[in-house]
Structures are given as structure tokens and as C-alpha cells.
Amino acid sequence: MSHAHTNLRRVPVQQRSADRLARILDAGASLLDETGYEQLSTRAVADRAGVPIGSVYRFFPNKRALVDALAERNLQTYAERIVARLEVIPEREWRAAIDAVLDEYLAMKRSVPGFALVDFGPPVPAAGPLDEEVNRLVAGRLAELLSGHLGRGHDGAASDDGLLRTVLVCVQAADALLQLAFRADPEGDPGLVAETRILLRAYLAHVLE
């Protein structure tokens, strides 16, 4: 899958420019873990990346655009990791597929710099329309990847709209529960994570079986 670069002022063409962009995003991600979003500055990102401040502004007009691009990269990485997992899971094995989707998210939440604060959308003070927009974006990507494993053709997911609705319900429910789990424990409260897995499996069993 190619990176859409929808949040960039300028799309890198040469490898050197692409490498510089990657360093800028990596720097932003590590600083998010250290300072949080409010204290993040483009100057600090430039210093951490070892590039002139003009290089940051060549790609991003402000820190919000940088964080949006980081969220986009996170979603791309997440999709690639899921694709790799699904390659060894037979179609229609939806339980294993859903476990893979959940496990990859948890692994990124625990290990990818900046992901704890910015997973697939910019940090916001409270739930609102932006959260819903991000969840619909994630659900759309996952619906594409999981169409074979979630059994398009079953009554509950017989159409593209039905499949998207099914995945959106999973994403919305898991998002709420996992936010709670990671507020309770930086590694994700094990009990809440386990309950999230049970909830997803129970809902999909109702829809798909």
C-alpha cells in the first residue's frame, strides 16, 4: 500500500527527501512521548531530527499538520502489519483475524513512539466528531482488509455497507474500552483488554454465525 501523503505541503520525490521526512516524523513521535502535544514545537522537532527549521516547514505548515501526517503513517503501518498477519490466517477464520487486529494495535500502543498519544488521529481533549471521523476512517481500512475473513456473503455482512457497519461497531466499541484500559495502566489493563476481546468475539459471533 502506498502512503497518500495527504497532509504534506510537498511530497518527497528523491530518497534523500523521503529520509528527511521520516526523520522529522520520528522526531515528532519521540517528542510527543516526552512532552505531550501542547508542548510540542516545530523548532524542537527540527532540532531532534537534526534538520533546519525550514525543512520542517517545507513539509508542514504547523505542528497539527505534522501530527496528522504521523497519524496517517501510523494507520499505514498498522494496515501493513495486519496484512502480514492475515497472510497466514485462512479466510473465514474470523476469530484469528480479529485477534490479529487487536494484538497488532496493542503491540503498537505499547512500543511505537508517539502512538500512545496519537494513534490514528490527533489528540483531542474529549470524545467528539473528530473521534468519530477517525474511527470511520480506520473502520473503512479494516473492512477492506478483513472482507474475506469476516465472511462477506453472510447475512450480517452481506454487502459492503453491512461489512463496514459491522467493522465500525467493533472499532467504536474497542476504541472506548481500550482508551479506558490504557488510562488505567500504561501497558493496558489486562482485565479490560481481555473483556474487549470477549466483547468483539461475542458481537461478531452474533453477526456472522
Side-chain angles (χ1 to χ4, degrees):
M1 298 179 195
S2 61
H3 195 294
H5 295 300
T6 55
N7 295 294
L8 299 184
R9 271 181 162 174
R10 178 179 299 179
V11 176
V13 176
Q14 297 181 341
Q15 185 60 47
R16 183 173 65 177
S17 182
D19 291 343
R20 179 171 293 184
L21 172 61
R23 291 205 310 276
I24 291 170
L25 290 174
D26 289 344
S30 64
L31 285 168
L32 279 169
D33 283 340
E34 296 172 18
T35 69
Y37 178 72
E38 293 302 324
Q39 299 303 315
L40 182 69
S41 72
T42 52
R43 169 62 68 183
V45 170
D47 290 345
R48 177 66 60 88
V51 302
I53 186 66
S55 293
V56 176
Y57 288 125
R58 187 171 295 118
F59 292 114
F60 307 109
N62 50 47
K63 71 176 183 180
R64 171 59 186 271
L66 189 154
V67 169
D68 283 346
L70 181 60
E72 184 178 315
R73 186 176 73 165
N74 286 342
L75 181 54
Q76 180 71 13
T77 300
Y78 182 52
E80 291 169 353
R81 291 172 67 147
I82 290 171
V83 167
R85 291 285 299 273
L86 293 180
E87 285 179 351
V88 297
I89 298 174
E91 286 201 352
R92 308 291 182 174
E93 293 290 336
W94 63 263
R95 289 179 179 81
I98 287 300
D99 282 346
V101 168
L102 180 58
D103 290 342
E104 289 303 320
Y105 179 82
L106 293 171
M108 290 184 70
K109 194 81 168 174
R110 292 163 177 158
S111 64
V112 173
F115 196 85
L117 188 60
V118 176
D119 48 18
F120 308 126
V124 290
L130 183 58
D131 287 327
E132 296 174 9
E133 179 183 335
V134 170
N135 282 345
R136 287 185 180 276
L137 176 66
V138 174
R141 180 66 70 89
L142 290 178
E144 294 175 8
L145 300 179
L146 293 170
S147 60
H149 291 82
L150 293 191
R152 181 182 295 171
H154 286 285
D155 291 342
S159 66
D160 288 345
D161 288 344
L163 178 64
L164 179 57
R165 182 173 59 251
T166 295
V167 176
L168 179 59
V169 169
C170 292
V171 169
Q172 196 75 28
D175 180 45
L177 285 171
L178 293 178
Q179 284 189 40
L180 183 62
F182 280 90
R183 282 198 297 270
D185 183 335
E187 292 296 307
D189 179 85
L192 288 172
V193 170
E195 293 295 323
T196 302
R197 197 181 304 274
I198 292 170
L199 183 147
L200 293 177
R201 286 186 164 202
Y203 168 68
L204 286 172
H206 170 72
V207 172
L208 301 176
E209 296 181 347

